[in-house]
Amino acid sequence: KHTGDIDVAFKMINEVREKQITKLGKDHYDTMVTSDTLGQLCQITGREIDALEILEETYKLRVKNLGEDHPDTLTTGTHYAIS
């Protein structure tokens, strides 16, 4: 159910990310996708420090696991650069 509540969205995405980290690891593709999404949500809701930390870590993981030129790495790099 869509509520439009940013705080609910933040909590849900964070919970999913924590479960993914536990079950899949930080460097799993799905975890990195969720981390990038959480970082973007932090950016748009004024959680700049959280965004910077999450996106920096995700960018480094994507470089390590996908390579510098992978489209997803470049996307996260863009998100990280503007955080």
Side-chain angles (χ1 to χ4, degrees):
K1 179 180 175 184
H2 177 66
T3 65
D5 188 328
I6 295 294
D7 291 327
V8 171
F10 181 80
K11 181 180 177 189
M12 289 176 66
I13 294 170
N14 201 43
E15 287 174 1
V16 168
R17 180 174 176 256
E18 290 302 317
K19 288 177 184 177
Q20 287 175 321
I21 289 169
T22 300
K23 298 273 184 186
L24 305 172
K26 285 186 175 187
D27 61 348
H28 188 278
Y29 185 82
D30 292 340
T31 308
M32 291 188 288
V33 169
T34 302
S35 295
D36 185 77
T37 301
L38 181 60
Q40 290 178 74
L41 183 60
C42 288
Q43 283 178 324
I44 64 172
T45 58
R47 297 172 168 107
E48 292 89 359
I49 293 172
D50 292 332
L52 183 63
E53 290 173 2
I54 292 166
L55 292 169
E56 178 180 23
E57 178 182 49
T58 305
Y59 177 71
K60 289 177 180 179
L61 287 168
R62 283 189 162 178
V63 167
K64 176 183 162 193
N65 291 286
L66 304 175
E68 291 182 356
D69 296 330
H70 190 280
D72 292 342
T73 303
L74 297 173
T75 297
T76 299
T78 301
H79 299 154
Y80 174 45
I82 62 172
S83 62

